[in-house]
Amino acid sequence: GKGEYDHYMEKEIHSQPTSLANTIEGRVEDGTVSFDSLEPGTFENVDAVQFVACGTSYHAAMYAGQLLRAAGLPTDVIRASEYETAAGPVDEGTLVVAVTQSGETADTLDAVRTAAGHGAQTLAVTNVVGSTAAREADNALYIRAGPEVGVAATKTYSSQAVTLTLLTQRLAADVPEATPAEDREDLLETLQDLPQHVDTVLETSRARVLAREFMNSTSYFFIGNGFGHSVALEGALKFKEITYEHAEGFASGELKHGPLALVTDKSPLFAVYTDGSDDKTKTNAIEAQSRGAPIVAVGPADHPLVDVADAHLSVPDTHPVWAGLLANVQLQLVSYHAATLLERSIDKPRNLAKSVTVE
Ligand code: F6R
């Protein structure tokens, strides 16, 4: 049941310290990532990676894509429904990773089947043991988030992003051409603090106050760069999904290539960043502010944007990869509180189903 919470979504947002601890448990030791289901050497013949996913799972996959490209491994992140036309060459050296919480999304299953038909190695990253994706792929990796009831994916997103980040480090260890991240030690060490940091965000968030303040806006924009870009896309998807308000996410630098025409004093802009050096997000947020948009800085305190922003949703200081996930928790809360204030059907938004088994 929902216990002390009004909605499953609220419960699931608040369960992330626990679900993330489960996701991490036993998978990182002495700076090495290991998964019970994946023998060392599983990926030694991989020379390129394609992630296929839909919706929120696609946003989690973007995270891993950025990390693998940084490791020097050719990597694509492809919307599963576009696989037929968007995928480049696929052969036995291609690892196709299906990122699907339910393991039942038709578009994603279809993409994996197409890839397997070309000889690709396949891996399902999923929450559901025995799901179709888990059964059909060569290997399965579980995100261990526990069952998610709310239609809006929350705790499964954070567990996917963590599992996929660990997977990138595991891949970098197997694949001869890949170079493990220079800051790998820091990345893995700071992961241990993530559940505690999520708890801090949940305890101290001002998201409800902000949601109330910005009610009655015409549009809600979310921008970010790098990891912040995927978080911005996810923030906008969650917001539109449960509030039914118009929300859009962009790469920070894209704002001036069109969307800026929609920016007014009735379009608050959430600027997501994951470290202090993200100038693109700052410059573009300030551009929107000068057209009257209230701007909300979402990220660690040590960023120049915090001083000029109209509001700040703060996240603890940590590695940029985890800072993005903490920023996302803030945005989950913004969406949740906005939707509650608007009296939306939080756990079952109109027109949507938890798992989409049609193409
Ligand atoms: C959004 C949401 C959807 C799913 C998408 C993929 O909150 O839940 O965008 O992420 O339908 O679902 P899975 O991960 O089950 O393949």
Side-chain angles (χ1 to χ4, degrees):
K2 295 190 287 252
E4 63 189 286
Y5 297 102
D6 294 332
H7 303 98
Y8 280 104
M9 184 187 182
E10 185 188 21
K11 180 183 175 189
E12 287 158 2
I13 290 172
H14 284 266
S15 72
Q16 289 175 109
T18 312
S19 54
L20 287 171
N22 286 338
T23 298
I24 299 162
E25 166 101 59
R27 289 173 161 179
V28 183
E29 244 163 67
D30 304 326
T32 308
V33 175
S34 60
F35 296 111
D36 292 343
S37 62
L38 302 173
E39 302 273 311
T42 307
F43 304 121
E44 61 194 5
N45 298 323
V46 170
D47 55 28
V49 177
Q50 294 178 341
F51 290 95
V52 295
C54 303
T56 290
S57 295
Y58 177 88
H59 301 146
M62 282 177 74
Y63 238 83
Q66 184 177 332
L67 286 162
L68 274 189
R69 282 190 288 264
L73 202 57
T75 303
D76 284 320
V77 185
I78 303 165
R79 297 201 186 266
S81 57
E82 289 289 294
Y83 191 77
E84 298 272 348
T85 51
V90 183
D91 60 24
E92 293 74 17
T94 315
L95 174 68
V96 174
V97 183
V99 184
T100 168
Q101 183 282 126
S102 63
E104 304 297 344
T105 300
D107 288 326
T108 308
L109 293 173
D110 199 46
V112 185
R113 287 169 186 151
T114 304
H118 293 295
Q121 307 170 49
T122 58
L123 170 68
V125 175
T126 181
N127 199 29
V128 181
V129 177
S131 58
T132 307
R135 283 185 283 107
E136 289 192 8
D138 298 332
N139 287 293
L141 177 57
Y142 294 104
I143 65 168
R144 306 198 303 214
E148 188 173 66
V149 178
V151 164
T154 53
K155 65 174 181 170
T156 56
Y157 169 83
S158 55
S159 285
Q160 281 173 333
V162 166
T163 306
L164 289 168
T165 299
L166 293 179
L167 175 66
T168 65
Q169 301 310 300
R170 187 55 190 73
L171 272 162
D174 269 12
V175 179
E177 292 78 27
T179 36
E182 267 172 42
D183 60 354
R184 168 193 170 87
E185 218 170 291
D186 185 39
L187 176 74
L188 296 178
E189 261 172 37
T190 50
L191 173 59
Q192 305 305 322
D193 304 325
L194 183 63
Q196 182 58 49
H197 286 332
V198 172
D199 203 51
T200 304
V201 169
L202 294 170
E203 292 298 320
T204 59
S205 178
R206 298 184 57 256
R208 188 178 169 81
V209 179
L210 264 187
R212 187 182 300 277
E213 193 176 326
F214 293 128
M215 216 79 296
N216 304 317
S217 299
T218 47
S219 288
Y220 298 79
F221 294 123
F222 298 75
I223 63 167
N225 174 231
F227 298 119
H229 177 210
S230 44
V231 173
L233 296 184
E234 172 58 12
L237 177 63
K238 206 97 316 171
F239 197 89
K240 73 183 83 164
E241 180 179 16
I242 61 163
T243 67
Y244 314 159
E245 296 293 309
H246 175 230
E248 285 191 64
F250 309 105
S252 299
E254 281 293 307
L255 190 67
K256 57 189 175 295
H257 297 291
L260 201 54
L262 295 172
V263 167
T264 68
D265 59 356
K266 286 262 181 270
S267 60
L269 179 124
F270 293 85
V272 180
Y273 55 88
T274 58
D275 65 67
S277 65
D278 184 351
D279 284 338
K280 266 187 198 147
T281 300
K282 181 186 164 201
T283 320
N284 287 282
I286 289 173
E287 187 62 41
Q289 192 182 40
S290 73
R291 314 293 152 113
I295 61 173
V296 183
V298 189
D302 69 339
H303 190 284
L305 193 57
V306 173
D307 297 331
V308 288
D310 300 275
H312 178 213
L313 291 171
S314 169
V315 314
D317 277 331
T318 182
H319 192 283
V321 166
W322 314 130
L325 297 190
L326 294 163
N328 185 62
V329 173
Q330 287 283 20
L331 296 182
Q332 290 172 346
L333 292 168
V334 170
S335 293
Y336 175 75
H337 289 302
T340 340
L341 291 165
L342 292 164
E343 299 182 8
R344 302 302 189 219
S345 165
I346 308 276
D347 287 331
K348 284 193 190 334
R350 71 180 176 207
N351 310 337
L352 300 178
K354 181 70 184 161
S355 85
V356 186
T357 53
V358 290
E359 273 170 41

